[in-house]
Structures are given as structure tokens and as C-alpha cells.
Coordinates of all heavy atoms in Angstrom, one line a residue:
E12 N -55.5 -85.7 -6.7 CA -56.7 -85.9 -7.6 C -56.7 -84.6 -8.4 O -56.7 -83.4 -8.0 CB -57.9 -86.0 -6.8 CG -59.1 -86.1 -7.6 CD -60.4 -86.2 -6.7 OE1 -60.3 -86.7 -5.6 OE2 -61.3 -85.7 -7.1
D13 N -56.6 -84.7 -9.7 CA -56.7 -83.6 -10.6 C -58.2 -83.3 -10.8 O -59.1 -84.1 -11.0 CB -56.1 -84.0 -12.1 CG -54.6 -84.1 -12.0 OD1 -54.1 -83.5 -11.1 OD2 -54.1 -84.9 -12.9
K14 N -58.4 -82.0 -10.9 CA -59.8 -81.4 -11.0 C -59.8 -80.7 -12.4 O -58.9 -79.9 -12.7 CB -60.1 -80.6 -9.9 CG -60.2 -81.2 -8.6 CD -60.7 -80.3 -7.5 CE -60.8 -81.0 -6.2 NZ -61.3 -80.1 -5.2
L15 N -60.9 -80.7 -13.0 CA -61.1 -79.9 -14.3 C -61.3 -78.6 -14.0 O -60.7 -77.7 -14.6 CB -62.4 -80.4 -15.0 CG -62.7 -79.7 -16.3 CD1 -61.6 -80.0 -17.3 CD2 -64.1 -80.3 -16.8
I16 N -62.0 -78.1 -12.9 CA -62.1 -76.9 -12.5 C -61.4 -76.7 -11.1 O -61.7 -77.3 -10.1 CB -63.5 -76.6 -12.2 CG1 -64.4 -76.8 -13.7 CG2 -63.8 -75.1 -11.8 CD1 -65.9 -76.8 -13.6
D17 N -60.4 -75.7 -11.1 CA -59.6 -75.6 -10.0 C -60.2 -74.6 -9.0 O -60.0 -74.8 -7.8 CB -58.3 -75.1 -10.3 CG -57.5 -76.2 -11.0 OD1 -57.7 -77.3 -10.8 OD2 -56.5 -75.8 -11.8
D18 N -60.9 -73.6 -9.3 CA -61.4 -72.6 -8.5 C -62.7 -72.1 -8.9 O -63.2 -72.4 -9.9 CB -60.4 -71.5 -8.1 CG -60.0 -70.7 -9.4 OD1 -60.9 -70.5 -10.2 OD2 -58.8 -70.3 -9.6
S19 N -63.4 -71.4 -7.9 CA -64.8 -70.9 -8.3 C -64.8 -69.9 -9.4 O -65.8 -69.7 -10.1 CB -65.5 -70.1 -7.0 OG -64.6 -69.2 -6.5
D20 N -63.7 -69.2 -9.7 CA -63.6 -68.2 -10.8 C -63.7 -69.0 -12.1 O -64.3 -68.5 -13.1 CB -62.3 -67.4 -10.8 CG -62.2 -66.3 -11.7 OD1 -63.1 -65.5 -11.9 OD2 -61.2 -66.3 -12.5
D21 N -63.1 -70.2 -12.2 CA -63.2 -71.0 -13.5 C -64.6 -71.4 -13.7 O -65.1 -71.4 -14.7 CB -62.2 -72.2 -13.3 CG -60.7 -71.8 -13.5 OD1 -60.5 -70.8 -13.9 OD2 -59.9 -72.7 -13.2
M22 N -65.2 -71.7 -12.5 CA -66.7 -72.2 -12.6 C -67.6 -71.1 -13.1 O -68.5 -71.4 -13.9 CB -67.1 -72.7 -11.2 CG -66.7 -74.2 -10.9 SD -67.2 -74.9 -9.4 CE -68.9 -74.5 -9.3
E23 N -67.3 -69.9 -12.7 CA -68.1 -68.8 -13.1 C -68.0 -68.5 -14.5 O -68.9 -68.3 -15.2 CB -67.8 -67.5 -12.2 CG -68.7 -66.5 -12.5 CD -68.4 -65.1 -11.6 OE1 -68.1 -65.4 -10.4 OE2 -68.8 -64.1 -12.0
K24 N -66.7 -68.5 -14.9 CA -66.3 -68.3 -16.4 C -67.1 -69.3 -17.2 O -67.7 -69.0 -18.3 CB -64.9 -68.2 -16.6 CG -64.2 -67.0 -16.2 CD -62.7 -67.1 -16.4 CE -62.0 -66.0 -15.7 NZ -60.6 -66.1 -15.8
M25 N -67.0 -70.7 -16.8 CA -67.5 -71.7 -17.5 C -69.1 -71.5 -17.6 O -69.8 -71.9 -18.6 CB -67.2 -73.0 -17.0 CG -65.8 -73.5 -17.3 SD -65.3 -75.1 -16.7 CE -66.3 -76.1 -17.5
A26 N -69.8 -71.2 -16.5 CA -71.2 -71.0 -16.4 C -71.6 -69.8 -17.4 O -72.6 -70.0 -18.0 CB -71.7 -70.7 -15.0
K27 N -70.9 -68.7 -17.4 CA -71.2 -67.7 -18.4 C -71.1 -68.2 -19.8 O -72.0 -67.8 -20.7 CB -70.3 -66.5 -18.1 CG -70.7 -65.6 -16.9 CD -69.8 -64.5 -16.7 CE -70.2 -63.7 -15.4 NZ -69.3 -62.5 -15.3
C28 N -70.2 -68.9 -20.0 CA -69.9 -69.3 -21.4 C -71.0 -70.4 -21.9 O -71.5 -70.3 -22.9 CB -68.6 -70.0 -21.6 SG -68.2 -70.5 -23.2
C29 N -71.4 -71.3 -20.9 CA -72.4 -72.3 -21.2 C -73.8 -71.6 -21.3 O -74.5 -71.8 -22.2 CB -72.5 -73.2 -20.0 SG -71.1 -74.4 -20.0
Y30 N -74.0 -70.5 -20.6 CA -75.3 -69.7 -20.6 C -75.3 -69.1 -21.9 O -76.4 -69.1 -22.6 CB -75.2 -68.8 -19.5 CG -76.6 -67.8 -19.7 CD1 -77.9 -68.2 -19.3 CD2 -76.3 -66.5 -20.2 CE1 -78.8 -67.3 -19.5 CE2 -77.3 -65.5 -20.4 CZ -78.7 -66.0 -20.0 OH -79.7 -65.1 -20.2
A31 N -74.2 -68.5 -22.4 CA -74.2 -67.7 -23.7 C -74.4 -68.6 -24.8 O -75.0 -68.3 -25.9 CB -72.9 -67.0 -23.7
L32 N -73.9 -70.0 -24.7 CA -74.1 -70.8 -25.9 C -75.4 -71.7 -25.8 O -75.6 -72.5 -26.6 CB -72.7 -71.8 -25.9 CG -71.6 -71.0 -26.3 CD1 -70.4 -72.0 -26.2 CD2 -71.5 -70.4 -27.7
A33 N -76.1 -71.4 -24.8 CA -77.3 -72.2 -24.5 C -78.4 -71.9 -25.5 O -79.5 -72.4 -25.5 CB -77.8 -72.2 -23.1
S34 N -78.3 -70.7 -26.1 CA -79.4 -70.1 -26.9 C -79.1 -70.3 -28.5 O -77.9 -69.9 -28.9 CB -79.5 -68.6 -26.7 OG -80.2 -68.1 -27.6
T35 N -79.8 -70.8 -29.4 CA -79.6 -70.9 -30.7 C -79.5 -69.5 -31.3 O -78.7 -69.4 -32.3 CB -80.7 -71.7 -31.5 OG1 -81.9 -71.1 -31.2 CG2 -80.7 -73.1 -31.0
D36 N -80.2 -68.5 -30.8 CA -80.0 -67.1 -31.5 C -78.6 -66.6 -31.1 O -78.1 -65.9 -31.9 CB -81.2 -66.3 -30.9 CG -82.5 -66.4 -31.6 OD1 -82.5 -67.1 -32.7 OD2 -83.6 -66.0 -31.0
R37 N -78.2 -66.8 -29.9 CA -76.8 -66.4 -29.6 C -75.8 -67.1 -30.5 O -74.8 -66.4 -30.9 CB -76.5 -66.5 -28.1 CG -77.2 -65.6 -27.2 CD -76.7 -65.7 -25.7 NE -77.6 -65.3 -24.9 CZ -78.5 -65.9 -24.0 NH1 -78.5 -67.3 -24.2 NH2 -79.3 -65.4 -23.3
I38 N -76.0 -68.4 -30.8 CA -75.0 -69.0 -31.5 C -75.1 -68.5 -33.0 O -74.1 -68.3 -33.8 CB -75.3 -70.5 -31.6 CG1 -75.0 -71.1 -30.2 CG2 -74.6 -71.3 -32.7 CD1 -75.5 -72.5 -29.9
R39 N -76.4 -68.2 -33.5 CA -76.5 -67.5 -34.8 C -75.8 -66.2 -34.9 O -75.2 -66.0 -36.0 CB -78.0 -67.4 -35.2 CG -78.7 -68.7 -35.4 CD -80.2 -68.5 -35.6 NE -80.6 -67.4 -36.5 CZ -81.7 -66.8 -36.5 NH1 -82.6 -67.0 -35.5 NH2 -82.0 -65.9 -37.5
I40 N -75.8 -65.3 -33.8 CA -75.0 -64.2 -33.8 C -73.6 -64.5 -33.9 O -72.8 -63.8 -34.6 CB -75.5 -63.3 -32.5 CG1 -76.9 -62.9 -32.6 CG2 -74.5 -62.1 -32.3 CD1 -77.5 -62.3 -31.3
L41 N -73.2 -65.4 -33.1 CA -71.7 -65.7 -33.1 C -71.3 -66.2 -34.4 O -70.3 -65.7 -34.9 CB -71.5 -66.8 -32.0 CG -70.1 -67.1 -31.7 CD1 -69.4 -65.8 -31.1 CD2 -70.1 -68.2 -30.5
K42 N -72.1 -67.0 -35.2 CA -71.7 -67.4 -36.5 C -71.8 -66.3 -37.6 O -71.0 -66.4 -38.3 CB -72.8 -68.6 -36.9 CG -72.5 -69.8 -36.3 CD -73.6 -70.9 -36.6 CE -73.4 -71.3 -38.1 NZ -74.2 -72.4 -38.4
G43 N -72.6 -65.3 -37.3 CA -72.6 -64.2 -38.1 C -71.5 -63.3 -38.1 O -71.4 -62.6 -39.1
I44 N -70.6 -63.4 -37.0 CA -69.5 -62.5 -37.0 C -68.2 -63.3 -37.1 O -67.2 -62.9 -36.6 CB -69.6 -61.6 -35.7 CG1 -69.7 -62.3 -34.5 CG2 -70.6 -60.5 -35.9 CD1 -69.5 -61.6 -33.3
M45 N -68.3 -64.6 -37.5 CA -67.2 -65.4 -37.5 C -66.1 -65.0 -38.4 O -64.8 -65.1 -38.0 CB -67.7 -66.9 -37.9 CG -66.6 -67.9 -37.6 SD -67.2 -69.5 -37.9 CE -68.4 -69.8 -36.6
Y46 N -66.4 -64.4 -39.4 CA -65.3 -64.0 -40.4 C -65.0 -62.5 -40.4 O -63.9 -62.1 -40.8 CB -65.6 -64.4 -41.8 CG -65.8 -66.0 -41.8 CD1 -67.1 -66.5 -41.9 CD2 -64.7 -66.8 -41.7 CE1 -67.2 -68.0 -42.0 CE2 -64.8 -68.1 -41.7 CZ -66.0 -68.7 -41.8 OH -66.1 -70.1 -41.8
Y47 N -66.0 -61.7 -40.0 CA -65.7 -60.2 -40.0 C -66.6 -59.6 -39.2 O -67.8 -60.0 -38.9 CB -65.5 -59.6 -41.3 CG -66.7 -59.8 -42.2 CD1 -67.8 -59.0 -42.3 CD2 -66.8 -60.9 -43.0 CE1 -68.9 -59.2 -43.1 CE2 -67.9 -61.2 -43.9 CZ -68.9 -60.3 -43.9 OH -70.0 -60.5 -44.7
P48 N -66.3 -58.4 -38.5 CA -67.2 -57.8 -37.6 C -68.4 -57.2 -38.5 O -68.4 -56.9 -39.6 CB -66.4 -56.4 -37.1 CG -65.2 -56.4 -37.9 CD -65.1 -57.7 -38.7
K49 N -69.6 -57.0 -37.6 CA -70.8 -56.5 -38.3 C -71.5 -55.6 -37.2 O -71.3 -55.9 -35.9 CB -71.7 -57.7 -38.7 CG -71.2 -58.5 -39.8 CD -72.3 -59.6 -40.2 CE -71.6 -60.4 -41.2 NZ -72.5 -61.6 -41.6
S50 N -72.3 -54.8 -37.6 CA -73.1 -54.0 -36.7 C -74.2 -54.7 -36.1 O -74.6 -55.7 -36.7 CB -73.5 -52.7 -37.4 OG -74.5 -52.9 -38.3
I51 N -74.7 -54.2 -35.0 CA -76.0 -55.0 -34.4 C -77.1 -54.9 -35.4 O -77.8 -55.8 -35.5 CB -76.2 -54.3 -33.0 CG1 -75.3 -54.8 -32.1 CG2 -77.6 -54.6 -32.6 CD1 -75.4 -54.2 -30.7
S52 N -77.3 -53.7 -36.1 CA -78.4 -53.7 -37.0 C -78.2 -54.5 -38.1 O -79.3 -55.1 -38.6 CB -78.5 -52.1 -37.4 OG -77.4 -51.7 -38.1
T53 N -77.1 -54.7 -38.7 CA -76.7 -55.7 -39.8 C -77.0 -57.1 -39.3 O -77.7 -57.9 -40.1 CB -75.4 -55.6 -40.3 OG1 -75.0 -54.3 -40.8 CG2 -75.1 -56.6 -41.3
L54 N -76.7 -57.5 -38.1 CA -76.9 -58.8 -37.6 C -78.5 -59.0 -37.5 O -79.0 -60.1 -37.7 CB -76.2 -59.0 -36.2 CG -74.7 -59.3 -36.4 CD1 -74.1 -59.2 -35.0 CD2 -74.4 -60.7 -36.9
S55 N -79.0 -58.0 -36.9 CA -80.5 -57.9 -36.9 C -81.2 -58.3 -38.1 O -82.1 -59.2 -38.2 CB -81.1 -56.7 -36.2 OG -82.4 -56.7 -36.1
N56 N -80.9 -57.5 -39.2 CA -81.4 -57.7 -40.5 C -81.1 -59.0 -41.1 O -82.0 -59.7 -41.7 CB -80.8 -56.7 -41.6 CG -81.4 -55.3 -41.3 OD1 -82.4 -55.1 -40.6 ND2 -80.7 -54.3 -41.6
E57 N -79.9 -59.6 -40.9 CA -79.4 -60.9 -41.4 C -80.1 -62.0 -40.8 O -80.5 -63.2 -41.4 CB -78.0 -61.1 -41.4 CG -77.2 -60.2 -42.3 CD -75.7 -60.4 -42.2 OE1 -75.1 -61.1 -41.3 OE2 -75.0 -59.7 -43.0
T58 N -80.3 -61.9 -39.4 CA -80.9 -63.1 -38.5 C -82.4 -63.0 -38.3 O -83.0 -63.9 -37.9 CB -80.2 -63.1 -37.2 OG1 -80.4 -61.9 -36.5 CG2 -78.8 -63.3 -37.3
G59 N -83.0 -61.7 -38.4 CA -84.4 -61.6 -38.2 C -84.6 -61.3 -36.7 O -85.7 -61.3 -36.3
I60 N -83.5 -61.3 -35.9 CA -83.7 -61.1 -34.5 C -83.8 -59.6 -34.3 O -83.0 -58.8 -34.7 CB -82.4 -61.6 -33.7 CG1 -82.3 -63.3 -34.0 CG2 -82.6 -61.5 -32.3 CD1 -80.9 -63.8 -33.5
P61 N -84.7 -59.2 -33.4 CA -84.8 -57.7 -33.1 C -83.6 -57.0 -32.6 O -82.7 -57.7 -32.0 CB -86.0 -57.6 -32.0 CG -86.7 -58.9 -32.1 CD -85.7 -59.9 -32.7
I62 N -83.3 -55.8 -33.0 CA -82.1 -55.1 -32.6 C -81.9 -55.1 -31.2 O -80.8 -55.5 -30.6 CB -82.1 -53.7 -33.1 CG1 -82.0 -53.8 -34.7 CG2 -81.0 -52.8 -32.6 CD1 -82.1 -52.2 -35.3
S63 N -82.9 -55.0 -30.4 CA -82.7 -54.9 -28.9 C -82.3 -56.2 -28.5 O -81.6 -56.3 -27.4 CB -84.1 -54.5 -28.3 OG -85.1 -55.4 -28.6
T64 N -82.8 -57.3 -29.0 CA -82.5 -58.6 -28.6 C -81.0 -59.0 -28.9 O -80.1 -59.5 -28.2 CB -83.4 -59.6 -29.2 OG1 -84.7 -59.4 -28.7 CG2 -83.0 -61.1 -28.6
V65 N -80.6 -58.6 -30.3 CA -79.3 -58.7 -30.7 C -78.2 -58.0 -29.7 O -77.2 -58.6 -29.3 CB -79.0 -58.3 -32.1 CG1 -77.5 -58.3 -32.5 CG2 -79.7 -59.2 -33.0
S66 N -78.6 -56.8 -29.3 CA -77.7 -56.1 -28.5 C -77.7 -56.7 -27.1 O -76.5 -56.8 -26.5 CB -78.4 -54.6 -28.3 OG -77.6 -53.9 -27.4
R67 N -78.7 -57.2 -26.6 CA -78.7 -57.9 -25.2 C -77.8 -59.2 -25.4 O -77.0 -59.4 -24.4 CB -80.1 -58.1 -24.7 CG -80.1 -58.7 -23.4 CD -81.5 -58.9 -22.7 NE -82.3 -60.0 -23.5 CZ -83.2 -59.9 -24.2 NH1 -83.8 -58.8 -24.5 NH2 -83.7 -61.0 -24.7
Y68 N -78.1 -59.9 -26.3 CA -77.4 -61.2 -26.5 C -75.8 -60.9 -26.8 O -75.0 -61.7 -26.4 CB -78.0 -62.0 -27.7 CG -79.2 -62.7 -27.3 CD1 -80.0 -63.5 -28.4 CD2 -79.9 -62.6 -26.1 CE1 -81.2 -64.1 -28.0 CE2 -81.0 -63.2 -25.8 CZ -81.7 -64.0 -26.8 OH -82.9 -64.5 -26.5
A69 N -75.5 -59.9 -27.5 CA -74.2 -59.6 -27.7 C -73.5 -59.3 -26.4 O -72.3 -59.7 -26.2 CB -74.0 -58.4 -28.7
Q70 N -74.2 -58.6 -25.5 CA -73.6 -58.3 -24.2 C -73.4 -59.7 -23.4 O -72.3 -59.8 -22.8 CB -74.6 -57.5 -23.3 CG -74.6 -56.0 -23.7 CD -73.3 -55.4 -23.5 OE1 -72.6 -54.9 -24.5 NE2 -72.6 -55.6 -22.4
D71 N -74.4 -60.6 -23.5 CA -74.1 -62.0 -23.0 C -72.9 -62.7 -23.5 O -72.1 -63.2 -22.7 CB -75.4 -62.8 -23.1 CG -76.6 -62.3 -22.5 OD1 -76.5 -61.6 -21.5 OD2 -77.8 -62.8 -22.8
L72 N -72.8 -62.5 -24.8 CA -71.5 -63.2 -25.3 C -70.3 -62.5 -25.0 O -69.2 -63.1 -24.8 CB -71.7 -63.2 -26.9 CG -72.8 -64.1 -27.6 CD1 -73.1 -63.7 -29.0 CD2 -72.5 -65.5 -27.4
A73 N -70.4 -61.2 -24.9 CA -69.2 -60.4 -24.5 C -68.8 -60.8 -23.0 O -67.6 -61.0 -22.7 CB -69.3 -59.0 -24.5
E74 N -69.8 -60.9 -22.1 CA -69.5 -61.1 -20.8 C -68.9 -62.6 -20.6 O -68.1 -62.8 -19.6 CB -70.8 -61.1 -20.0 CG -71.1 -59.7 -19.6 CD -72.5 -59.5 -18.9 OE1 -73.0 -60.6 -18.4 OE2 -73.1 -58.4 -19.0
A75 N -69.2 -63.4 -21.5 CA -68.7 -64.8 -21.5 C -67.4 -64.8 -22.1 O -66.6 -65.8 -22.1 CB -69.6 -65.8 -22.3
G76 N -66.8 -63.8 -22.6 CA -65.5 -63.7 -23.3 C -65.5 -64.2 -24.7 O -64.3 -64.5 -25.2
L77 N -66.6 -64.4 -25.3 CA -66.6 -65.0 -26.6 C -66.4 -64.0 -27.7 O -66.0 -64.3 -28.9 CB -67.9 -65.8 -26.8 CG -68.2 -66.9 -25.8 CD1 -69.5 -67.5 -26.0 CD2 -67.0 -68.0 -26.2
I78 N -66.9 -62.7 -27.4 CA -66.7 -61.6 -28.5 C -66.4 -60.4 -27.7 O -66.3 -60.3 -26.5 CB -68.0 -61.4 -29.3 CG1 -69.1 -60.9 -28.3 CG2 -68.4 -62.6 -30.0 CD1 -70.3 -60.3 -29.0
S79 N -65.9 -59.4 -28.5 CA -65.7 -58.1 -27.9 C -66.4 -57.0 -28.6 O -66.7 -57.4 -29.9 CB -64.2 -57.7 -28.0 OG -63.7 -57.7 -29.3
I80 N -67.0 -56.0 -28.0 CA -67.8 -55.1 -28.7 C -67.1 -53.9 -28.7 O -66.5 -53.3 -27.7 CB -69.0 -54.9 -28.0 CG1 -69.9 -56.2 -27.8 CG2 -69.9 -53.8 -28.5 CD1 -71.0 -56.2 -26.9
T81 N -67.0 -53.3 -29.9 CA -66.4 -51.9 -30.1 C -67.4 -51.0 -30.7 O -68.2 -51.4 -31.4 CB -65.0 -52.0 -31.0 OG1 -65.4 -52.6 -32.2 CG2 -64.0 -52.9 -30.5
C82 N -67.2 -49.7 -30.5 CA -68.1 -48.6 -31.0 C -67.3 -48.0 -32.2 O -66.3 -47.6 -32.0 CB -68.6 -47.7 -30.0 SG -69.7 -48.4 -28.8
K83 N -68.0 -47.8 -33.3 CA -67.4 -47.2 -34.4 C -68.4 -46.3 -35.0 O -69.5 -46.7 -35.4 CB -66.9 -48.2 -35.4 CG -66.1 -47.6 -36.6 CD -65.7 -48.8 -37.6 CE -64.8 -48.2 -38.6 NZ -64.4 -49.3 -39.5
N84 N -68.2 -45.0 -34.9 CA -69.1 -43.9 -35.4 C -70.4 -44.1 -34.8 O -71.4 -44.1 -35.4 CB -69.2 -44.1 -37.0 CG -67.9 -43.9 -37.8 OD1 -67.1 -43.2 -37.3 ND2 -67.7 -44.5 -38.8
A85 N -70.4 -44.2 -33.5 CA -71.7 -44.3 -32.7 C -72.5 -45.6 -32.9 O -73.6 -45.7 -32.7 CB -72.4 -43.1 -32.8
T86 N -71.9 -46.6 -33.6 CA -72.6 -47.9 -33.9 C -71.7 -49.0 -33.3 O -70.6 -49.0 -33.3 CB -72.7 -48.0 -35.4 OG1 -73.4 -47.0 -36.0 CG2 -73.5 -49.4 -35.7
K87 N -72.5 -49.8 -32.6 CA -71.7 -51.1 -32.0 C -71.3 -52.0 -33.1 O -72.3 -52.5 -33.9 CB -72.6 -51.7 -30.9 CG -72.8 -50.8 -29.6 CD -73.4 -51.7 -28.7 CE -73.6 -51.0 -27.4 NZ -74.3 -51.7 -26.3
F88 N -70.1 -52.4 -33.2 CA -69.7 -53.5 -34.0 C -69.3 -54.6 -33.2 O -68.7 -54.5 -32.1 CB -68.6 -53.1 -35.0 CG -68.9 -52.3 -36.2 CD1 -69.3 -50.9 -36.0 CD2 -69.1 -52.8 -37.3 CE1 -69.6 -50.1 -36.9 CE2 -69.5 -52.0 -38.4 CZ -69.7 -50.7 -38.4
L89 N -69.5 -55.8 -33.7 CA -69.0 -57.1 -33.0 C -68.0 -57.9 -33.6 O -68.3 -58.8 -34.3 CB -70.4 -58.0 -32.7 CG -71.6 -57.2 -32.3 CD1 -72.8 -58.1 -32.3 CD2 -71.2 -56.7 -30.8
P90 N -66.8 -57.7 -33.3 CA -65.8 -58.4 -33.9 C -65.6 -59.7 -33.0 O -65.8 -59.6 -31.9 CB -64.6 -57.6 -33.8 CG -64.7 -56.7 -32.7 CD -66.2 -56.4 -32.7
L91 N -65.4 -60.8 -33.6 CA -65.1 -62.0 -32.9 C -63.9 -61.9 -32.3 O -62.8 -61.5 -32.7 CB -65.0 -63.2 -33.9 CG -64.9 -64.7 -33.3 CD1 -66.1 -64.9 -32.4 CD2 -64.8 -65.6 -34.4
C92 N -63.8 -62.3 -30.9 CA -62.6 -62.2 -30.1 C -61.9 -63.6 -30.1 O -62.5 -64.5 -29.7 CB -63.1 -61.8 -28.7 SG -61.7 -61.6 -27.6
C93 N -60.8 -63.6 -30.7 CA -60.0 -64.9 -30.8 C -59.0 -65.1 -29.8 O -58.3 -64.1 -29.5 CB -59.4 -65.1 -32.2 SG -60.7 -65.1 -33.5

């Protein structure tokens, strides 16, 4: 019998991904960096989401493996991880 999910590690990864995509604000952040990296403050200005929330949601997206976060000149940038 073939299983879609082979082990608990896969289930955990899928759960993190589903959690990250369950928020329309997280999806807005993801769409905001689809073509090029942006700083957290830029994403906050563009989306109207508070900087602290963008930062927290970016961590959720990164933990799900959907983006990577890099620091450039003491500012967090969010390039899309392909």
C-alpha cells in the first residue's frame, strides 16, 4: 500500500507548511516577495501589516521552508526560497 506521507518527519513538514499558508496575511507576505527580496519594513509598508507581525510571520514561513531570511546591513531581507 502506497502512502502519501511515509514518516512522521514528512507529516511535521507538511503541518508547518499548512500552518504557514493558513493565514491570508502570510500569503500576502509571500506574494510580496515573489519576484525579488524586500525588507520587513518595506513589506510592512506595502501590506499595512505591523512590522512585528511581518517579522513573526516571516519566521513561520521560513520554518516551513517557504522562504529564507537573510540579514543585509542589519536589516532582515526576505528572498523567496525556490
Side-chain angles (χ1 to χ4, degrees):
E12 176 181 332
D13 290 334
K14 294 181 182 179
L15 179 62
I16 301 171
D17 290 334
D18 58 39
S19 61
D20 187 48
D21 288 344
M22 283 183 39
E23 187 175 330
K24 288 177 186 176
M25 287 181 67
K27 285 181 181 181
C28 187
C29 290
Y30 173 80
L32 295 174
S34 163
T35 55
D36 283 343
R37 288 189 199 99
I38 293 170
R39 287 172 57 208
I40 292 167
L41 196 56
K42 286 176 68 175
I44 58 171
M45 190 171 294
Y46 298 108
Y47 54 89
K49 296 180 182 177
S50 70
I51 287 181
S52 60
T53 298
L54 284 167
S55 176
N56 289 333
E57 290 179 357
T58 61
I60 302 169
I62 289 175
S63 60
T64 304
V65 171
S66 182
R67 187 176 72 244
Y68 284 176
Q70 284 300 126
D71 293 337
L72 292 166
E74 287 177 13
L77 298 172
I78 65 170
S79 62
I80 300 173
T81 59
C82 292
K83 185 175 183 180
N84 299 330
T86 303
K87 287 185 180 179
F88 281 80
L89 304 176
L91 186 61
C92 186
C93 298

